[in-house]
């Protein structure tokens, strides 16, 4: 878990322990392997972005960062997303994904205003 202060926001980034193992599968499609929360790691943090790792075939990487609706059920907004490919062989892949998810959330927030 990474906690970072960014502008006026405090973000928590959570990555499942088995993310890299799942990502090594030839054709993978999993949600919730990486999530961005607004907050400092407490139980009342709000999830604001979810990463879907999705390799459909040898030529199609449909992985993307998705917005999460700020409501009681914290539903994924399947209409608001940004394509993003993780390279698990890059030692900085977590940091890069984390920054991309923050940038995506900042963009989503700006679109609402």
């Amino acid at each position: 878990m990474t906690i970072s202060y960014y502008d006026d926001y405090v973000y928590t980034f959570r990555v499942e322990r088995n993310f890299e193992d799942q990502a090594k599968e030839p054709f993978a499609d999993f949600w919730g392997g990486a999530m961005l929360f607004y907050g400092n790691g407490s139980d009342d943090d709000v999830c604001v972005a979810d990463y879907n790792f999705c390799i459909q075939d040898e030529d199609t990487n449909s992985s993307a960062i998705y917005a999460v609706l700020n409501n009681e059920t914290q539903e994924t907004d399947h209409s608001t997303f940004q394509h993003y490919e993780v390279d698990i062989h890059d030692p900085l892949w977590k940091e890069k994904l984390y920054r991309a998810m923050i940038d995506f959330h900042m963009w989503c927030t700006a679109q609402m205003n």
Side-chain angles (χ1 to χ4, degrees):
M1 175 171 51
T2 303
I3 299 173
S4 177
Y5 296 89
Y6 189 85
D7 288 340
D8 293 333
Y9 297 94
V10 179
Y11 290 103
T12 302
F13 181 60
R14 296 181 183 145
V15 178
E16 284 188 12
R17 290 177 217 239
N18 62 348
F19 184 100
E20 290 183 25
D21 291 336
Q22 291 183 48
K24 291 177 184 174
E25 295 294 325
F27 306 109
D29 185 4
F30 60 94
W31 292 84
M35 301 178 85
L36 183 69
F37 293 82
Y38 176 75
N40 59 4
S42 64
D43 290 338
D44 61 346
D45 288 356
V46 176
C47 183
V48 294
D50 184 8
Y51 184 69
N52 172 231
F53 186 88
C54 183
I55 306 296
Q56 295 179 333
D57 57 47
E58 295 170 357
D59 300 320
T60 309
N61 185 329
S62 299
S63 301
I65 301 167
Y66 286 82
V68 175
L69 298 173
N70 190 4
N71 60 24
E72 288 183 22
T73 61
Q74 293 284 278
E75 297 172 57
T76 300
D77 178 0
H78 296 281
S79 66
T80 306
F81 65 93
Q82 176 184 16
H83 179 78
Y84 185 86
E85 296 182 18
V86 167
D87 176 5
I88 59 170
H89 302 292
D90 181 346
L92 299 176
W93 75 264
K94 289 179 186 176
E95 177 69 23
K96 290 177 180 179
L97 176 58
Y98 179 46
R99 292 290 166 202
M101 291 178 85
I102 289 172
D103 290 343
F104 177 72
H105 177 249
M106 299 296 282
W107 177 83
C108 289
T109 301
Q111 297 302 307
M112 289 188 278
N113 295 331

